[in-house]
């Protein structure tokens, strides 16, 4: 299969590329805008591997650019869209960026799939949209099922929900072969340090305060990036057209527990934790049921503790990677997001 991976130089995308190329004969084109969250260096391991590199081509570009996208989709049997603005806090500061990539970009890709020349032998071109549990909004009772109504509460979640709805509409209206995955909170190697797990690991390594929002009792289901990448592959190969697949890990933890696990693996003290002003509209809990993807034969393989330990080790061993991302633009973001919060914080 020839796969166009949009956002393949990002966190989840680059791991999907690595693991899928390593386990199949597929070839891939990665299209990536290389925003602050992606990086050419995220594909270095694949490009250094002689059994994988010849099957990968990289194109720098934007999913909103209809011409580029049309040209690349024409050469692909399937499109996997992992390109997204993914950070809730940034979407609160700049919702337009989420709207552009997560909605307009998805629309551009769907249009390219709809209008692309037919594949030989009547084969259909599959479009896989990588989405998130956040589209359901907070979970107050039973874990969310794929048939539940959407109730997004942040600009990020609203933009992802809109992307999902455009994707489903393309199936209903134009009979496109689409599938949607909704992953739980993902962590692992190469995640940009703005997100909870890598932020707390890298701050703790430097002896800097860990800014825990509110009471720290917000709950998330944490999935290791390798498991998430493999689940995307499973749905790409076996998902039913027009269907949604939740990707839960079954590792629900409060933020205080995640923080404790990180500090324990690093051997750093709890006194680094600061209780800071909460995120506005902060969802208390995400949880999803996973029977549908289990029926395709996928289940998560990584225990939470093992995943956190290997992630901590990776950041310890790849200091140059994350220091490069904590540059001047990072300092501006950090000041805007945490400056006042840390100045008015209480100890953990
Ligand atoms: P995040 O990694 O931003 O993912 P999401 O909000 O999409 O679930 O945050 C995970 C949890 O950690 C969330 O409940 C917010 C919390 N959090 C903090 O307490 N402090 C922080 O500095 C960040 C980035 C997140």
């Amino acid at each position: 299969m020839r796969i166009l991976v949009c956002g393949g130089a990002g966190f989840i995308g680059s791991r999907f590329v690595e693991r899928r190329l390593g386990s199949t004969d597929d070839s891939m084109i990665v299209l990536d805008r290389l925003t602050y969250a992606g990086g050419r260096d995220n594909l270095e391991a694949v490009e250094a591997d002689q059994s994988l590199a010849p099957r990968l081509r990289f194109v720098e570009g934007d999913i909103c650019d209809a011409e580029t996208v049309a040209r690349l989709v024409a050469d692909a049997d399937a499109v996997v869209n992992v390109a997204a603005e993914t950070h809730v806090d940034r979407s609160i500061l700049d919702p337009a960026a989420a709207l552009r990539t997560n909605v307009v970009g998805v629309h551009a890709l769907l249009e390219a799939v709809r209008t692309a020349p037919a594949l030989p032998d009547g084969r259909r071109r599959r479009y896989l949209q990588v989405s998130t549990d956040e589209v359901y909004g907070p979970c107050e009772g039973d874990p969310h099922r794929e048939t539940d109504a959407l109730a997004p509460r942040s600009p990020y979640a609203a933009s992802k929900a809109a992307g999902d709805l455009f994707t489903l509409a393309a199936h209903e209206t134009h009979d496109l072969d689409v599938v949607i995955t909704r992953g739980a909170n993902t962590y692992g190697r190469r995640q940009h340090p703005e997100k909870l797990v890598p932020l707390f690991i890298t701050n703790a390594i430097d002896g800097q305060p860990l800014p825990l929002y509110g009471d720290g009792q917000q709950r998330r289901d944490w999935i290791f990036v390798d498991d998430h990448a493999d689940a995307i592959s499973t749905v790409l190969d076996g998902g039913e057209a027009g269907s949604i697949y939740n990707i839960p890990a079954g590792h629900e933890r409060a933020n205080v527990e995640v923080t404790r696990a990180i500090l324990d693996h690093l051997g750093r003290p709890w006194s680094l934790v600061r209780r800071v002003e909460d995120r506005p509209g902060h969802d208390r809990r995400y949880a999803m049921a996973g029977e549908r993807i289990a029926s395709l034969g996928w289940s998560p393989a990584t225990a939470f503790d093992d995943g956190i330990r290997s992630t901590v080790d990776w950041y310890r061993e790849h200091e140059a990677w994350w220091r490069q991302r904590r540059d001047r633009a990072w300092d501006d973001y950090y000041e805007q997001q945490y400056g006042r919060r840390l100045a008015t914080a209480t100890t953990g």
Side-chain angles (χ1 to χ4, degrees):
M1 185 158 35
R2 299 166 306 165
I3 309 176
L4 173 62
V5 186
C6 304
F11 163 49
I12 298 172
S14 64
R15 198 60 181 148
F16 169 76
V17 167
E18 223 164 29
R19 291 179 72 82
R20 176 93 190 181
L21 283 179
S23 60
T24 65
D25 296 329
D26 290 346
S27 62
M28 285 183 184
I29 297 176
V30 164
L31 172 66
D32 200 295
R33 188 152 70 103
L34 300 180
T35 65
Y36 78 95
R40 216 44 199 88
D41 54 348
N42 287 341
L43 295 170
E44 262 169 16
V46 173
E47 287 170 337
D49 184 328
Q50 278 322 302
S51 67
L52 309 182
R55 289 183 283 130
L56 176 67
R57 184 155 81 85
F58 177 80
V59 176
E60 184 174 347
D62 187 344
I63 56 170
C64 294
D65 172 1
E67 230 170 86
T68 302
V69 162
R71 182 167 48 82
L72 298 177
V73 168
D75 282 339
D77 303 307
V79 178
V80 172
N81 182 33
V82 207
E85 294 291 341
T86 65
H87 194 39
V88 172
D89 293 320
R90 283 196 198 251
S91 83
I92 294 170
L93 299 170
D94 178 15
L99 177 66
R100 183 181 183 279
T101 299
N102 302 351
V103 186
V104 179
V106 170
H107 167 68
L109 289 173
L110 290 166
E111 278 298 283
V113 172
R114 181 176 71 80
T115 56
L119 292 171
D121 315 323
R123 279 183 296 131
R124 298 174 85 200
R125 198 177 265 108
R126 169 151 279 196
Y127 176 82
L128 187 149
Q129 171 68 9
V130 174
S131 186
T132 166
D133 56 4
E134 303 199 23
V135 297
Y136 296 114
C139 181
E140 276 152 19
D142 292 340
H144 284 299
R145 298 188 172 281
E146 290 85 347
T147 46
D148 284 1
L150 304 186
R153 293 176 72 248
S154 71
Y156 163 67
S159 69
K160 291 300 287 184
D164 286 12
L165 294 176
F166 270 89
T167 304
L168 293 171
H171 174 71
E172 296 299 335
T173 311
H174 302 296
D175 196 28
L176 293 196
D177 176 359
V178 308
V179 279
I180 294 175
T181 59
R182 292 187 178 147
N185 272 64
T186 309
Y187 69 97
R189 71 178 65 188
R190 295 197 293 261
Q191 186 171 32
H192 189 276
E194 68 191 359
K195 294 292 177 73
L196 178 76
V197 168
L199 179 70
F200 281 17
I201 293 172
T202 56
N203 276 14
I205 288 173
D206 277 350
Q208 295 292 320
L210 314 188
L212 194 60
Y213 295 154
D215 63 5
Q217 293 301 329
Q218 302 84 5
R219 303 180 73 80
R220 301 287 186 264
D221 179 18
W222 291 95
I223 187 165
F224 190 54
V225 65
D226 292 19
D227 288 333
H228 191 163
D230 294 349
I232 293 169
S233 260
T234 299
V235 174
L236 182 64
D237 293 331
E240 194 188 322
S243 291
I244 300 163
Y245 293 86
N246 290 344
I247 310 177
H251 303 316
E252 193 179 322
R253 298 283 188 284
N255 290 341
V256 287
E257 296 175 86
V258 176
T259 305
R260 166 64 64 203
I262 290 169
L263 288 171
D264 284 353
H265 285 306
L266 279 168
R268 299 284 161 134
W270 184 260
S271 58
L272 287 174
V273 173
R274 296 288 180 284
R275 306 278 183 166
V276 302
E277 183 191 311
D278 210 347
R279 170 188 286 172
H282 196 170
D283 289 342
R284 288 300 283 182
R285 175 182 179 234
Y286 298 134
M288 294 184 293
E291 285 90 349
R292 206 178 262 183
I293 192 166
S295 74
L296 298 181
W298 176 89
S299 60
T302 314
F304 178 73
D305 217 48
D306 295 341
I308 288 287
R309 182 179 302 112
S310 93
T311 304
V312 164
D313 288 347
W314 190 88
Y315 280 86
R316 263 197 189 130
E317 288 156 17
H318 294 82
E319 221 174 292
W321 184 95
W322 57 264
R323 288 213 185 276
Q324 218 180 312
R325 281 151 173 88
R326 294 178 62 131
D327 57 8
R328 195 180 303 160
W330 165 271
D331 288 343
D332 293 343
Y333 165 74
Y334 204 82
E335 177 55 30
Q336 193 177 7
Q337 182 61 26
Y338 297 106
R340 195 176 48 83
R341 281 192 165 91
L342 283 168
T344 55
T346 54
T347 47

